[in-house]
PDB file of all heavy atoms in Angstrom:
ATOM      1  N   ALA M 145      92.255 158.296  98.128  1.00 88.00           N
ATOM      2  CA  ALA M 145      91.924 156.859  97.434  1.00 88.00           C
ATOM      3  C   ALA M 145      91.329 155.879  98.566  1.00 88.00           C
ATOM      4  O   ALA M 145      91.791 156.022  99.835  1.00 88.00           O
ATOM      5  CB  ALA M 145      93.009 156.417  96.834  1.00 88.00           C
ATOM      6  N   PRO M 146      90.390 155.177  98.335  1.00 95.00           N
ATOM      7  CA  PRO M 146      89.901 154.069  99.328  1.00 95.00           C
ATOM      8  C   PRO M 146      90.921 153.206  99.601  1.00 95.00           C
ATOM      9  O   PRO M 146      91.768 152.770  98.771  1.00 95.00           O
ATOM     10  CB  PRO M 146      88.724 153.508  98.704  1.00 95.00           C
ATOM     11  CG  PRO M 146      88.954 153.784  97.079  1.00 95.00           C
ATOM     12  CD  PRO M 146      89.722 155.052  97.041  1.00 95.00           C
ATOM     13  N   ARG M 147      91.079 152.799 100.937  1.00 95.00           N
ATOM     14  CA  ARG M 147      92.151 152.015 101.460  1.00 95.00           C
ATOM     15  C   ARG M 147      91.631 150.718 102.092  1.00 95.00           C
ATOM     16  O   ARG M 147      92.452 149.835 102.359  1.00 95.00           O
ATOM     17  CB  ARG M 147      92.875 152.681 102.467  1.00 95.00           C
ATOM     18  CG  ARG M 147      93.811 153.896 101.947  1.00 95.00           C
ATOM     19  CD  ARG M 147      94.959 153.208 100.985  1.00 95.00           C
ATOM     20  NE  ARG M 147      95.919 154.202 100.722  1.00 95.00           N
ATOM     21  CZ  ARG M 147      95.833 155.073  99.653  1.00 95.00           C
ATOM     22  NH1 ARG M 147      94.699 154.986  98.893  1.00 95.00           N
ATOM     23  NH2 ARG M 147      96.701 155.877  99.231  1.00 95.00           N
ATOM     24  N   THR M 148      90.235 150.677 102.307  1.00 97.00           N
ATOM     25  CA  THR M 148      89.726 149.464 102.981  1.00 97.00           C
ATOM     26  C   THR M 148      88.462 149.054 102.127  1.00 97.00           C
ATOM     27  O   THR M 148      87.953 149.822 101.488  1.00 97.00           O
ATOM     28  CB  THR M 148      89.358 149.696 104.440  1.00 97.00           C
ATOM     29  OG1 THR M 148      88.148 150.597 104.484  1.00 97.00           O
ATOM     30  CG2 THR M 148      90.550 150.243 105.145  1.00 97.00           C
ATOM     31  N   LEU M 149      87.923 147.842 102.410  1.00 98.00           N
ATOM     32  CA  LEU M 149      86.639 147.396 101.848  1.00 98.00           C
ATOM     33  C   LEU M 149      85.505 148.172 102.429  1.00 98.00           C
ATOM     34  O   LEU M 149      84.568 148.505 101.610  1.00 98.00           O
ATOM     35  CB  LEU M 149      86.374 145.789 101.970  1.00 98.00           C
ATOM     36  CG  LEU M 149      87.386 145.013 101.289  1.00 98.00           C
ATOM     37  CD1 LEU M 149      87.091 143.478 101.700  1.00 98.00           C
ATOM     38  CD2 LEU M 149      87.303 145.265  99.767  1.00 98.00           C
ATOM     39  N   GLU M 150      85.635 148.639 103.554  1.00 97.00           N
ATOM     40  CA  GLU M 150      84.612 149.587 104.119  1.00 97.00           C
ATOM     41  C   GLU M 150      84.579 150.913 103.380  1.00 97.00           C
ATOM     42  O   GLU M 150      83.545 151.416 103.121  1.00 97.00           O
ATOM     43  CB  GLU M 150      84.955 149.766 105.674  1.00 97.00           C
ATOM     44  CG  GLU M 150      84.669 148.573 106.652  1.00 97.00           C
ATOM     45  CD  GLU M 150      85.813 147.585 106.556  1.00 97.00           C
ATOM     46  OE1 GLU M 150      86.842 147.806 105.990  1.00 97.00           O
ATOM     47  OE2 GLU M 150      85.598 146.566 107.333  1.00 97.00           O
ATOM     48  N   ASP M 151      85.715 151.322 103.064  1.00 97.00           N
ATOM     49  CA  ASP M 151      85.878 152.505 102.212  1.00 97.00           C
ATOM     50  C   ASP M 151      85.057 152.446 100.858  1.00 97.00           C
ATOM     51  O   ASP M 151      84.247 153.345 100.446  1.00 97.00           O
ATOM     52  CB  ASP M 151      87.260 153.004 101.896  1.00 97.00           C
ATOM     53  CG  ASP M 151      88.071 153.474 103.212  1.00 97.00           C
ATOM     54  OD1 ASP M 151      87.402 153.892 104.088  1.00 97.00           O
ATOM     55  OD2 ASP M 151      89.317 153.521 103.300  1.00 97.00           O
ATOM     56  N   PHE M 152      85.331 151.312 100.253  1.00 98.00           N
ATOM     57  CA  PHE M 152      84.724 151.055  98.955  1.00 98.00           C
ATOM     58  C   PHE M 152      83.221 151.045  99.067  1.00 98.00           C
ATOM     59  O   PHE M 152      82.520 151.222  98.173  1.00 98.00           O
ATOM     60  CB  PHE M 152      85.256 149.725  98.357  1.00 98.00           C
ATOM     61  CG  PHE M 152      86.612 149.938  97.579  1.00 98.00           C
ATOM     62  CD1 PHE M 152      87.837 149.754  98.185  1.00 98.00           C
ATOM     63  CD2 PHE M 152      86.641 150.390  96.243  1.00 98.00           C
ATOM     64  CE1 PHE M 152      89.005 149.960  97.569  1.00 98.00           C
ATOM     65  CE2 PHE M 152      87.770 150.721  95.639  1.00 98.00           C
ATOM     66  CZ  PHE M 152      88.964 150.403  96.137  1.00 98.00           C
ATOM     67  N   ALA M 153      82.893 150.415 100.228  1.00 97.00           N
ATOM     68  CA  ALA M 153      81.254 150.267 100.303  1.00 97.00           C
ATOM     69  C   ALA M 153      80.740 151.616 100.687  1.00 97.00           C
ATOM     70  O   ALA M 153      79.533 151.941 100.233  1.00 97.00           O
ATOM     71  CB  ALA M 153      80.953 149.332 101.577  1.00 97.00           C
ATOM     72  N   ARG M 154      81.413 152.462 101.463  1.00 96.00           N
ATOM     73  CA  ARG M 154      80.949 153.754 101.920  1.00 96.00           C
ATOM     74  C   ARG M 154      81.022 154.797 100.860  1.00 96.00           C
ATOM     75  O   ARG M 154      80.109 155.620 100.615  1.00 96.00           O
ATOM     76  CB  ARG M 154      81.679 154.227 103.178  1.00 96.00           C
ATOM     77  CG  ARG M 154      81.253 155.375 103.848  1.00 96.00           C
ATOM     78  CD  ARG M 154      81.894 155.594 105.274  1.00 96.00           C
ATOM     79  NE  ARG M 154      83.257 155.308 105.125  1.00 96.00           N
ATOM     80  CZ  ARG M 154      84.092 154.394 105.748  1.00 96.00           C
ATOM     81  NH1 ARG M 154      83.320 153.407 106.442  1.00 96.00           N
ATOM     82  NH2 ARG M 154      85.273 154.252 105.640  1.00 96.00           N
ATOM     83  N   GLN M 155      82.109 154.881 100.064  1.00 96.00           N
ATOM     84  CA  GLN M 155      82.298 155.914  98.987  1.00 96.00           C
ATOM     85  C   GLN M 155      81.482 155.433  97.732  1.00 96.00           C
ATOM     86  O   GLN M 155      81.843 154.621  97.061  1.00 96.00           O
ATOM     87  CB  GLN M 155      83.756 156.075  98.707  1.00 96.00           C
ATOM     88  CG  GLN M 155      84.522 156.491  99.940  1.00 96.00           C
ATOM     89  CD  GLN M 155      85.976 156.716  99.664  1.00 96.00           C
ATOM     90  OE1 GLN M 155      86.520 156.704  98.419  1.00 96.00           O
ATOM     91  NE2 GLN M 155      86.780 156.669 100.750  1.00 96.00           N
ATOM     92  N   ASP M 156      80.364 156.254  97.499  1.00 93.00           N
ATOM     93  CA  ASP M 156      79.603 155.825  96.454  1.00 93.00           C
ATOM     94  C   ASP M 156      80.034 155.934  95.027  1.00 93.00           C
ATOM     95  O   ASP M 156      79.346 155.601  94.034  1.00 93.00           O
ATOM     96  CB  ASP M 156      78.268 156.532  96.550  1.00 93.00           C
ATOM     97  CG  ASP M 156      78.289 158.050  96.376  1.00 93.00           C
ATOM     98  OD1 ASP M 156      79.367 158.525  95.999  1.00 93.00           O
ATOM     99  OD2 ASP M 156      77.391 158.847  96.777  1.00 93.00           O
ATOM    100  N   GLN M 157      81.257 156.480  94.793  1.00 94.00           N
ATOM    101  CA  GLN M 157      81.805 156.490  93.476  1.00 94.00           C
ATOM    102  C   GLN M 157      82.932 155.463  93.241  1.00 94.00           C
ATOM    103  O   GLN M 157      83.500 155.186  92.294  1.00 94.00           O
ATOM    104  CB  GLN M 157      82.327 157.840  93.115  1.00 94.00           C
ATOM    105  CG  GLN M 157      81.260 158.850  93.074  1.00 94.00           C
ATOM    106  CD  GLN M 157      80.241 158.738  92.148  1.00 94.00           C
ATOM    107  OE1 GLN M 157      80.578 158.365  90.858  1.00 94.00           O
ATOM    108  NE2 GLN M 157      78.871 158.806  92.483  1.00 94.00           N
ATOM    109  N   ALA M 158      83.399 154.728  94.394  1.00 97.00           N
ATOM    110  CA  ALA M 158      84.524 153.972  94.515  1.00 97.00           C
ATOM    111  C   ALA M 158      84.243 152.602  93.641  1.00 97.00           C
ATOM    112  O   ALA M 158      83.239 151.967  93.980  1.00 97.00           O
ATOM    113  CB  ALA M 158      84.949 153.754  95.870  1.00 97.00           C
ATOM    114  N   ARG M 159      85.111 152.206  92.750  1.00 98.00           N
ATOM    115  CA  ARG M 159      84.966 150.993  91.986  1.00 98.00           C
ATOM    116  C   ARG M 159      85.999 149.935  92.419  1.00 98.00           C
ATOM    117  O   ARG M 159      87.259 150.352  92.325  1.00 98.00           O
ATOM    118  CB  ARG M 159      84.911 151.329  90.508  1.00 98.00           C
ATOM    119  CG  ARG M 159      83.889 152.428  90.079  1.00 98.00           C
ATOM    120  CD  ARG M 159      84.448 152.985  88.909  1.00 98.00           C
ATOM    121  NE  ARG M 159      85.707 153.789  89.207  1.00 98.00           N
ATOM    122  CZ  ARG M 159      86.511 154.368  88.281  1.00 98.00           C
ATOM    123  NH1 ARG M 159      86.236 154.301  86.966  1.00 98.00           N
ATOM    124  NH2 ARG M 159      87.476 155.021  88.707  1.00 98.00           N
ATOM    125  N   LEU M 160      85.568 148.852  92.669  1.00 98.00           N
ATOM    126  CA  LEU M 160      86.538 147.750  93.145  1.00 98.00           C
ATOM    127  C   LEU M 160      86.735 146.780  92.116  1.00 98.00           C
ATOM    128  O   LEU M 160      85.758 146.217  91.640  1.00 98.00           O
ATOM    129  CB  LEU M 160      85.990 147.151  94.426  1.00 98.00           C
ATOM    130  CG  LEU M 160      86.863 145.861  95.064  1.00 98.00           C
ATOM    131  CD1 LEU M 160      88.223 146.472  95.457  1.00 98.00           C
ATOM    132  CD2 LEU M 160      86.038 145.249  96.064  1.00 98.00           C
ATOM    133  N   GLY M 161      87.943 146.515  91.742  1.00 98.00           N
ATOM    134  CA  GLY M 161      88.293 145.480  90.661  1.00 98.00           C
ATOM    135  C   GLY M 161      88.421 144.254  91.427  1.00 98.00           C
ATOM    136  O   GLY M 161      89.045 143.925  92.389  1.00 98.00           O
ATOM    137  N   VAL M 162      87.944 143.102  90.721  1.00 97.00           N
ATOM    138  CA  VAL M 162      88.093 141.672  91.076  1.00 97.00           C
ATOM    139  C   VAL M 162      88.405 140.790  89.928  1.00 97.00           C
ATOM    140  O   VAL M 162      88.126 141.231  88.826  1.00 97.00           O
ATOM    141  CB  VAL M 162      86.900 141.115  91.929  1.00 97.00           C
ATOM    142  CG1 VAL M 162      86.700 141.970  93.048  1.00 97.00           C
ATOM    143  CG2 VAL M 162      85.695 141.216  91.008  1.00 97.00           C
ATOM    144  N   LEU M 163      88.828 139.654  90.005  1.00 93.00           N
ATOM    145  CA  LEU M 163      89.085 138.814  88.874  1.00 93.00           C
ATOM    146  C   LEU M 163      87.639 138.061  88.620  1.00 93.00           C
ATOM    147  O   LEU M 163      86.838 137.599  89.560  1.00 93.00           O
ATOM    148  CB  LEU M 163      90.090 137.740  89.092  1.00 93.00           C
ATOM    149  CG  LEU M 163      91.470 138.245  89.194  1.00 93.00           C
ATOM    150  CD1 LEU M 163      92.540 137.075  89.088  1.00 93.00           C
ATOM    151  CD2 LEU M 163      91.878 139.412  88.110  1.00 93.00           C
ATOM    152  N   LEU M 164      87.441 137.754  87.337  1.00 89.00           N
ATOM    153  CA  LEU M 164      86.205 137.021  86.962  1.00 89.00           C
ATOM    154  C   LEU M 164      86.132 135.677  87.698  1.00 89.00           C
ATOM    155  O   LEU M 164      87.105 134.933  87.575  1.00 89.00           O
ATOM    156  CB  LEU M 164      86.088 136.838  85.501  1.00 89.00           C
ATOM    157  CG  LEU M 164      85.064 136.119  84.917  1.00 89.00           C
ATOM    158  CD1 LEU M 164      83.649 136.894  85.090  1.00 89.00           C
ATOM    159  CD2 LEU M 164      85.277 135.719  83.401  1.00 89.00           C
ATOM    160  N   GLY M 165      85.072 135.314  88.273  1.00 83.00           N
ATOM    161  CA  GLY M 165      84.905 133.950  88.877  1.00 83.00           C
ATOM    162  C   GLY M 165      85.726 133.752  90.109  1.00 83.00           C
ATOM    163  O   GLY M 165      85.861 132.761  90.683  1.00 83.00           O
ATOM    164  N   SER M 166      86.133 134.947  90.754  1.00 86.00           N
ATOM    165  CA  SER M 166      87.019 134.822  92.014  1.00 86.00           C
ATOM    166  C   SER M 166      86.101 134.833  93.261  1.00 86.00           C
ATOM    167  O   SER M 166      85.006 135.342  93.303  1.00 86.00           O
ATOM    168  CB  SER M 166      88.000 135.943  92.031  1.00 86.00           C
ATOM    169  OG  SER M 166      87.359 137.175  92.233  1.00 86.00           O
ATOM    170  N   VAL M 167      86.816 134.383  94.440  1.00 86.00           N
ATOM    171  CA  VAL M 167      86.040 134.543  95.754  1.00 86.00           C
ATOM    172  C   VAL M 167      85.941 135.972  96.101  1.00 86.00           C
ATOM    173  O   VAL M 167      84.944 136.342  96.920  1.00 86.00           O
ATOM    174  CB  VAL M 167      86.916 133.814  96.796  1.00 86.00           C
ATOM    175  CG1 VAL M 167      86.907 132.271  96.490  1.00 86.00           C
ATOM    176  CG2 VAL M 167      88.343 134.385  96.982  1.00 86.00           C
TER     177      VAL M 167
END
Side-chain angles (χ1 to χ4, degrees):
R147 290 291 189 277
T148 67
L149 290 177
E150 289 84 358
D151 288 343
F152 277 93
R154 188 167 47 245
Q155 298 179 16
D156 59 11
Q157 299 299 315
R159 300 151 300 166
L160 179 66
V162 298
L163 294 192
L164 179 67
S166 70
V167 296

